Amino acid sequence: MVSTDRVVAFAAMSLLVIVIPGPSVLFVIGRALAHGRRTAVATALGNVFGSYLLVVAVAVGIGSLVERSEALYLAVKLAGAAYLVVLGVQAFRHRKELTASALTARPAAPARGDLRTVLDGALVGVTNPKGVVFFAAVLPQFVDHSAGHVPAQMLLLGLVPITIGLVTDTLWGLTASAARTWFARSDRRLSTIGGVGGFTMIGLGLTVAVTGRAD
């Protein structure tokens, strides 16, 4: 249905966009620093799920509506930004609850339930301005309209950046959580890194809020 050359070209374009850290990557890193490896991986899964919802939206025509409507685009962007700030504030407020003894007693326990963490990541992924612009403006360019089944082509092509994003986001999260493990040798270090993770998410939310459209 989709030619190999189009898939390869779209994969190359996707990689160029994904390797530049955006809201999703910074969010995964912030959650990894604040809560550890398990939360980071669950957040990465949620991010790609949310991103694929954007693919589905574009495939059925909603994505172009969001891209063309300034008011709707602004609403989506600000909703994602506000949620990032809320999560950042929560991480900062609870930073002193992160202690080396707590991690030793419950090394794999996430600060939030796995499903809630995935949903958090999904919300960030689906409201990511970078993702909205990429899927609404770039994805349709790689569809072969003469071959028909345009929505199906978009859904198939959309799996390419989703797969790349899952791998890269997970690697970012695991790397950040490894650094957190070193900080966990000291309660003060761990509290500091929890605060850094919170500030990272707050700063990211504010950045998303003031970032303009990539028209």
Side-chain angles (χ1 to χ4, degrees), residues 123-187:
L123 181 58
V124 172
V126 79
T127 58
N128 180 0
K130 178 181 175 182
V132 172
V133 172
F134 179 74
F135 290 119
V138 178
L139 175 58
Q141 298 180 24
F142 290 87
V143 173
D144 184 0
H145 291 271
S146 63
H149 306 288
V150 172
Q153 289 188 60
M154 289 186 178
L155 292 175
L156 182 60
L157 284 169
L159 292 174
V160 175
I162 293 304
T163 302
I164 296 174
L166 177 60
V167 173
T168 56
D169 285 3
T170 300
L171 289 176
W172 276 111
L174 293 178
T175 300
S177 63
R180 180 178 182 268
T181 300
W182 180 81
F183 276 92
R185 297 173 186 173
S186 163
D187 287 352

Side-chain angles (χ1 to χ4, degrees), residues 17-38:
V17 174
I18 292 172
V19 294
I20 301 173
S24 292
V25 170
L26 296 180
F27 181 61
V28 170
I29 291 175
R31 298 307 294 275
L33 293 177
H35 302 298
R37 178 185 305 174
R38 183 168 173 176

Side-chain angles (χ1 to χ4, degrees), residues 23 66-67 69-70 73-78 81 127-134 204-215:
V66 174
E67 175 63 14
S69 172
E70 181 71 28
Y73 183 90
L74 182 63
V76 170
K77 183 179 74 169
L78 292 181
T127 58
N128 180 0
K130 178 181 175 182
V132 172
V133 172
F134 179 74
L204 175 59
L206 296 177
T207 300
V208 169
V210 301
T211 299
R213 295 170 63 113
D215 292 329

Side-chain angles (χ1 to χ4, degrees), residues 58-98:
V58 171
V60 299
I62 300 176
S64 59
L65 176 62
V66 174
E67 175 63 14
R68 293 171 185 172
S69 172
E70 181 71 28
L72 186 55
Y73 183 90
L74 182 63
V76 170
K77 183 179 74 169
L78 292 181
Y83 195 63
L84 285 171
V85 172
V86 169
L87 291 178
V89 170
Q90 289 180 347
F92 182 78
R93 287 180 58 191
H94 296 291
R95 68 190 186 284
K96 292 184 178 180
E97 296 176 10
L98 298 172

